[in-house]
Amino acid sequence: QGVPGTVLVLSLFPPPLSRKPSMPGFFSDVPASPPDPLLSIDGRFRSDTRASKLNLGIGVLRRVDASPHEFATVLKAAKGVPVSTFYPSPAGDQTFLKLSSELVLGEVNPRVMAVQTVGGSGALRVCAELLVSQGITDMMLPNPSWANHKPLLTGGGCRISEYKYLDEDTHTVDIEGMIGALEGAPKGTAIMLQVAAHNPTGVDLTGEQWERVLGVFKRREGEIFPVFDSAYQGLAKGLEEDVAVVRRFLKEGMEFIVCNSHSKNFGLYGERVGSCFVACESAEVAANVSSRCQLRIRWNYSVPPLFGARIVASILGDPSLRKDWEAELAAARDQLNAAHGALAGAIRGAGLPGKLSSPKLGLFSQLFLTDAQVGRLEKDHGIYVGPGGRLNVSSLTEEAAKQVAAAVCDVLK
């Protein structure tokens, strides 16, 4: 009993145990990670007060005023997509998978399994884990390639090597070097192939060159395995043209994997909409592969998000919306082609090496600058670009292109 007139306070929780002064925290020795070379660009750009600054770093489709390229059809379709209140299957939304398959492969084929993934990056991780589970632990990437390919794929268990892709003297595809690398690749090696709008160079194979690549895979069927990365369908030459090589491999009865992203061609970067297609020898094998991919998805992130996938499905499944979306995509592609033309003209006008103005497609052009030169572009000229001088050209006007060319001239002195 307490003393009359006093209040007795009882705590249901014991006081926290105090850590001994000499005892370090569990995470006290965790070192800080270095800033991401691409994602960190935006922060520095925002803090730059120069009116003439240009952000040509992160690979986001932009308009000429540098604002994000939002598709009106996507905004319209999103209003009709309800919030999901129940778990989907680990395979994802089946309507989306059917329509995405038709968009990429031109058909729904029983020997091709499909799962929805967390963007193209999720597809790459599912791909890597599937290959490693089948004893395919080595993968060759084009040199150069997207900066995040290597960490994503090594995180899935792959050992990475590279093959020659670009002719350094002409900035065109080194097709002889590439064919030689494919011919000499060890048995059991997976080969990464970017289907269109190559990241970071913007330099793509021609139809004739793709036929030569297909010929190597046919001769070495069962020895090397093709993996297609399709992140920019519709933004290079066209919706059909940009995946023509994938459909050729399918028609020839080849086994392959496609890691597909809808981030760029629908502007759904934050919704993480992707798909992974595995072409197998039969429908029965495809069903087994699907079950294994779904199990790995379940173990990794459980199930994919539905909202973005259902936006894509609602557009692809509605003839009117699809027509409008295709028109928007064509306009974005025209803008990219105009930007590449403006940059090439400015480069030639500034007297820079001719190889820097070689034909490009898609979002990017690579200038192959040193880290010091990239730093000078940013510090002295307010022009923010990716590692190696990768430029996202989508917002370039003729005047901006001249500004870039003049700055590049200065840092190359």
Side-chain angles (χ1 to χ4, degrees):
Q1 295 182 351
V3 178
T6 64
V7 177
L8 187 62
V9 179
L10 299 176
S11 174
L12 297 177
F13 303 99
L17 296 175
S18 59
R19 184 175 291 275
K20 295 178 181 179
S22 60
M23 185 181 295
F26 287 107
F27 306 107
S28 60
D29 61 346
V30 174
S33 295
D36 185 279
L38 285 172
L39 298 181
S40 60
I41 292 173
D42 270 10
R44 299 196 304 275
F45 177 80
R46 284 193 295 269
S47 64
D48 191 330
T49 58
R50 287 172 287 188
S52 61
K53 64 182 180 178
L54 295 174
N55 188 350
L56 310 178
I58 294 177
V60 173
L61 188 64
R62 298 180 186 273
R63 299 189 185 277
V64 292
D65 64 357
S67 63
H69 190 117
E70 294 181 326
F71 288 83
T73 44
V74 169
L75 299 178
K76 180 178 180 181
K79 295 178 181 178
V81 176
V83 173
S84 176
T85 57
F86 200 74
Y87 285 120
S89 158
D93 185 271
Q94 292 302 306
T95 301
F96 161 77
L97 288 173
K98 173 182 179 295
L99 293 166
S100 183
S101 179
E102 291 172 347
L103 186 70
V104 176
L105 303 174
E107 61 181 276
V108 175
N109 191 303
R111 74 176 185 92
V112 180
M113 85 92 217
V115 290
Q116 182 189 334
T117 57
V118 181
S121 298
L124 287 163
R125 184 56 177 260
V126 170
C127 165
E129 292 189 7
L130 175 64
L131 291 175
V132 170
S133 74
Q134 293 303 109
I136 305 173
T137 56
D138 294 310
M139 183 179 291
M140 295 180 72
L141 302 178
N143 180 21
S145 194
W146 179 43
N148 214 27
H149 269 148
K150 189 175 292 185
L152 271 173
L153 296 165
T154 54
C158 289
R159 294 191 296 261
I160 301 300
S161 59
E162 296 177 328
Y163 63 86
K164 188 73 178 293
Y165 183 79
L166 198 73
D167 185 318
E168 296 173 2
D169 294 328
T170 62
H171 284 197
T172 57
V173 174
D174 183 353
I175 189 60
E176 300 304 331
M178 181 177 178
I179 294 294
L182 300 186
E183 294 279 16
K187 291 182 180 180
T189 300
I191 312 292
M192 175 66 70
L193 304 163
Q194 292 192 39
V195 299
H198 181 270
N199 182 356
T201 68
V203 176
D204 286 353
L205 279 76
T206 65
E208 293 78 9
Q209 290 171 335
W210 275 124
E211 285 298 315
R212 291 187 64 185
V213 169
L214 171 60
V216 176
F217 278 100
K218 290 180 70 175
R219 288 192 299 274
R220 299 202 63 193
E221 191 171 3
E223 296 181 352
I224 57 175
F225 185 86
V227 175
F228 295 104
D229 186 359
S230 179
Y232 306 99
Q233 184 183 357
L235 290 170
K237 293 182 178 178
L239 278 171
E240 303 291 316
E241 297 92 331
D242 292 351
V243 289
V245 61
V246 176
R247 297 179 183 185
R248 283 285 290 125
F249 272 66
L250 183 63
K251 183 179 180 181
E252 291 294 325
M254 305 290 289
E255 292 183 293
F256 58 83
I257 292 177
V258 182
C259 301
N260 174 60
S261 169
H262 291 302
S263 292
K264 306 294 191 300
N265 55 14
F266 283 86
L268 287 168
Y269 304 95
E271 299 302 332
R272 312 311 300 139
V273 187
S275 45
C276 182
F277 304 104
V278 184
C280 306
E281 59 184 298
S282 67
E284 292 75 18
V285 172
N288 291 339
V289 171
S290 177
S291 71
R292 300 308 297 181
C293 287
Q294 290 184 61
L295 187 62
R296 294 190 174 279
I297 287 170
R298 177 64 173 155
W299 290 346
N300 189 346
Y301 50 83
S302 187
V303 296
L306 289 179
F307 186 68
R310 287 180 172 171
I311 292 173
V312 172
S314 64
I315 292 171
L316 295 180
D318 182 295
S320 177
L321 281 176
R322 174 157 183 162
K323 180 181 178 181
D324 291 345
W325 168 72
E326 289 187 8
E328 286 189 277
L329 193 64
R333 183 169 64 248
D334 290 344
Q335 177 186 322
L336 290 171
N337 291 336
H340 279 299
L343 182 61
I347 286 172
R348 289 191 294 268
L352 289 164
K355 64 183 180 180
L356 297 180
S357 60
S358 66
K360 310 291 196 311
L361 292 167
L363 266 72
F364 304 114
S365 183
Q366 179 93 348
L367 299 179
F368 294 93
L369 303 177
T370 66
D371 289 346
Q373 290 164 342
V374 168
R376 282 193 60 200
L377 274 183
E378 184 174 314
K379 180 175 181 292
D380 298 344
H381 299 278
I383 297 175
Y384 293 75
V385 303
R390 190 196 78 168
L391 278 64
N392 172 1
V393 305
S394 59
S395 62
L396 280 183
T397 61
E398 288 192 6
E399 286 304 311
K402 291 176 182 177
Q403 179 184 345
V404 170
V408 171
C409 276
D410 181 56
V411 303
L412 288 179
K413 288 178 182 177

